[in-house]
Amino acid sequence: MAILSATDIVKYFTEPVRFQVLRGISLSVEKGEFVSIVGKSGCGKSTLLYVLSTLDTDYEGTLVIADTLLTGRDQEFLARFRGEHIGFIFQFHFLLQEFTILDNVMLPALKLGKEPQATIHTRAMDLLHRMGIAEYAHRPAKQLSGGQQQRAAIARALINQPTMVIGDEPTGNLDSENTAIVLDLLEAICHEMGQTVVIVTHDTEVAARSDRILTMADGKIVGEHRTR
Ligand SMILES: Nc1ncnc2c1ncn2[C@@H]1O[C@H](COP(=O)(O)OP(=O)(O)O)[C@@H](O)[C@H]1O
Ligand SMILES: [Mg+2]
């Protein structure tokens, strides 16, 4: 069953000159699948992720996630949809620096307002344990290292148990030990929880841990490789 299907995605940037950054991308991702996207810098990977995560609505083509047509929806609908279904791990984490790590992780779930605070607290602490940063839960984000903040940002992306996790170089700031921890967790949420992960990476070892590797070049998908 496809949880995500994107059809003929085309996108132009107009500044400084008009150019076509995405040149007819179609892709389908199964529920429970872990997909990685690789390709040279500048080929359009981040741009594609912004479209797939509904943050960018300025494109042609259609996007369907979890049986919901997302193309043409208004911002309010999309914000609500993202809160429930999409966890996005940005290339540069944007933790609220004055807030504690725990508050940062709990915030998206408190915003959604579907569960009691105690339930959210328990799940947030569990994620922080898995990420190896539980001891920093009550510290303000600004006191943590870049790698620790990155792991907190990953915990935050997972707090609502999103249908899809979309990550742009989610392990980019991490050493090999912490990269392994994050990959174990991403693999587990796919294969045990039936969540779905799509990440961009330039690390071939990270890509090799996914189920399927898509290669992009010049705004197109030019290759596909199943690892299992
Ligand atoms: N907001 C923007 N306006 C104009 N050009 C952009 C913008 N964002 C990215 N680009 C250009 O689009 C191309 C693809 O960018 P990007 O998706 O970030 O590539 P990747 O993530 O694969 O490195 C690059 O040539 C980049 O310079
Ligand atoms: Mg990029």
Side-chain angles (χ1 to χ4, degrees), residues 208-221:
R209 288 283 306 268
S210 68
D211 300 323
R212 182 157 58 113
I213 304 169
L214 299 174
T215 304
M216 274 183 76
D218 205 12
K220 286 184 186 161
I221 292 172

Side-chain angles (χ1 to χ4, degrees), residues 171-190:
T171 59
N173 275 327
L174 302 179
D175 59 23
S176 58
E177 190 183 334
N178 284 308
T179 294
I181 292 172
V182 170
L183 289 173
D184 286 346
L185 183 58
L186 293 180
E187 196 174 76
I189 67 168
C190 289

Side-chain angles (χ1 to χ4, degrees), residues 97-119:
Q97 294 295 308
E98 307 295 328
F99 283 56
T100 67
I101 292 298
L102 181 61
D103 285 342
N104 269 283
V105 173
M106 289 178 67
L107 199 63
L110 295 173
K111 242 186 189 167
L112 201 57
K114 278 192 156 179
E115 295 168 305
Q117 193 159 342
T119 308

Side-chain angles (χ1 to χ4, degrees), residues 13-16 19 21 39-48 168:
F13 282 124
T14 50
E15 294 293 328
F19 92 104
V21 57
K40 289 205 176 102
S41 178
C43 71
K45 304 181 298 296
S46 295
T47 304
L48 176 63
D168 198 346

Side-chain angles (χ1 to χ4, degrees), residues 5-225:
S5 60
T7 311
D8 292 330
I9 304 293
V10 167
K11 179 176 175 69
Y12 294 86
F13 282 124
T14 50
E15 294 293 328
V17 289
R18 181 175 159 91
F19 92 104
Q20 194 175 1
V21 57
L22 299 178
R23 308 199 304 152
I25 289 193
S26 296
L27 87 126
S28 173
V29 179
E30 301 290 302
K31 181 175 173 349
E33 200 179 12
F34 181 178
V35 172
S36 57
I37 299 173
V38 301
K40 289 205 176 102
S41 178
C43 71
K45 304 181 298 296
S46 295
T47 304
L48 176 63
L49 284 194
Y50 275 97
V51 170
L52 298 183
S53 64
T54 81
L55 290 167
D56 184 355
T57 54
D58 180 20
Y59 62 88
E60 295 160 26
T62 54
L63 174 66
V64 176
I65 298 177
D67 295 323
T68 308
L69 175 65
L70 297 168
T71 307
R73 301 287 194 164
D74 64 35
Q75 288 303 327
E76 194 187 330
F77 181 94
L78 293 176
R80 178 88 203 163
F81 184 87
R82 283 194 298 272
E84 263 186 72
H85 290 283
I86 299 181
F88 199 79
I89 308 171
F90 289 90
Q91 201 159 7
F92 302 100
H93 50 74
F94 295 105
L95 295 181
L96 300 169
Q97 294 295 308
E98 307 295 328
F99 283 56
T100 67
I101 292 298
L102 181 61
D103 285 342
N104 269 283
V105 173
M106 289 178 67
L107 199 63
L110 295 173
K111 242 186 189 167
L112 201 57
K114 278 192 156 179
E115 295 168 305
Q117 193 159 342
T119 308
I120 296 168
H121 184 276
T122 303
R123 198 162 61 243
M125 285 308 300
D126 176 58
L127 284 165
L128 290 174
H129 272 291
R130 283 172 175 245
M131 291 285 113
I133 49 174
E135 63 189 288
Y136 306 111
H138 300 289
R139 298 260 200 99
K142 64 183 178 190
Q143 288 181 11
L144 273 67
S145 72
Q148 290 166 335
Q149 291 203 30
Q150 181 77 353
R151 283 179 279 156
I154 291 167
R156 182 186 55 183
L158 299 178
I159 190 69
N160 285 339
Q161 299 170 300
T163 309
M164 301 241 11
V165 175
I166 296 182
D168 198 346
E169 300 278 5
T171 59
N173 275 327
L174 302 179
D175 59 23
S176 58
E177 190 183 334
N178 284 308
T179 294
I181 292 172
V182 170
L183 289 173
D184 286 346
L185 183 58
L186 293 180
E187 196 174 76
I189 67 168
C190 289
H191 300 162
E192 292 161 29
M193 310 293 287
Q195 289 168 267
T196 304
V197 174
V198 176
I199 60 164
V200 161
T201 182
H202 66 265
D203 183 333
T204 49
E205 286 178 34
V206 169
R209 288 283 306 268
S210 68
D211 300 323
R212 182 157 58 113
I213 304 169
L214 299 174
T215 304
M216 274 183 76
D218 205 12
K220 286 184 186 161
I221 292 172
V222 295
E224 177 176 6
H225 171 72

